[in-house]
Amino acid sequence: MPRRHGYRVGVDLKLFGEVFVTLLVIVDPPGMMPIFLALTGPLPARDRNRAAWQAVALALVVIVLFAVAGQTILAYLHVDLPALQAAGGLLLILVALELLTGKADDPSNQVTSNIALVPLGTPLLAGPGAIVATMLFVQQAGGPVDYLAIGLAIVAVMVTVWVVLRFSGGIVKVLRPGGIEVLTRIAGLLLAAIAVQLIADAIAAFVTQYLNNA
């Protein structure tokens, strides 16, 4: 993901697409559907719908909070972008391996009043992968136009997730478990490729920085 500099007119559709696809793959709405239905199954339809938008709203707040304060935190800790890219790549690889291998914790059958907040809102939706990826995009933003594209992409992803969760009952009937499993594996493969690219960019940045300082 190359750095972007300068100001442009309009929304950067390329950046919007990169952020949207990356976050959508990380959040993995098809893989979230079985967990969501398992956690909210005993609830009435009205409460299940409310849980969907509450979880998405919390995830949006958490991701935006880290997007806004991420640069300040990095500056305070004296952490360079290449180090964050490498760490983010490692985190994304862990998430990708879970998607590819089908490893997942068994959801609890007990439904609590805050089920929409934990674990749906966080860490399932606003997990470390989504947070780190968002911080990386913000770090590489070149101005207000980039920030606008990133913000719109985050909102678009959250709206997509809400639609999937809101109508998850019907979607599961159409895709069936086999279709959801296939989509989850594809998402894991794409996420692994994104993670490898992040690590490769970090290594290249470290090498360039070393050569410039030599």
Side-chain angles (χ1 to χ4, degrees):
M1 290 178 289
R3 290 178 179 270
R4 299 170 178 83
H5 301 281
Y7 295 85
R8 295 176 295 279
V9 178
V11 176
D12 188 337
L13 295 181
K14 182 176 183 293
L15 176 59
F16 174 88
E18 290 179 0
V19 179
F20 179 83
V21 172
T22 300
L23 292 182
L24 195 66
V25 169
I26 293 173
V27 176
D28 185 26
M32 276 292 301
M33 286 189 296
I35 300 176
F36 175 77
L37 291 177
L39 293 173
T40 61
L43 295 176
R46 180 178 179 180
D47 292 340
R48 186 184 305 113
N49 296 337
R50 183 167 62 239
W53 75 259
Q54 286 178 342
V56 170
L58 175 63
L60 177 62
V61 170
V62 172
I63 292 177
V64 170
L65 177 63
F66 275 90
V68 172
Q71 293 182 352
T72 302
I73 295 174
L74 290 178
Y76 178 78
L77 296 176
H78 303 287
V79 176
D80 293 330
L81 179 61
L84 181 62
Q85 283 180 316
L90 293 176
L91 285 174
L92 297 187
I93 285 180
L94 294 178
V95 178
L97 290 176
E98 291 186 355
L99 295 178
L100 289 170
T101 60
K103 179 181 178 181
D105 295 330
D106 293 332
S108 174
N109 292 328
Q110 181 179 2
V111 178
T112 61
S113 59
N114 63 343
I115 195 68
L117 306 181
V118 179
L120 290 176
T122 181
L124 289 178
L125 290 180
I131 291 173
V132 170
T134 303
M135 290 176 62
L136 288 175
F137 278 115
V138 172
Q139 277 286 310
Q140 299 177 81
V145 175
D146 284 352
Y147 295 138
L148 176 61
I150 294 172
L152 291 177
I154 293 173
V155 173
V157 169
M158 291 296 105
V159 171
T160 302
V161 173
W162 176 82
V163 171
V164 172
L165 296 183
R166 172 64 176 79
F167 300 99
S168 57
I171 295 176
V172 168
K173 293 179 181 179
V174 173
L175 292 180
R176 300 184 180 278
I180 295 177
E181 184 176 356
V182 170
L183 291 179
T184 300
R185 298 299 181 271
I186 295 175
L189 180 61
L190 294 176
L191 184 56
I194 293 172
V196 171
Q197 187 63 55
L198 280 175
I199 296 176
D201 291 343
I203 295 175
F206 277 125
V207 172
T208 301
Q209 187 178 37
Y210 173 80
L211 293 177
N212 292 335
N213 295 332

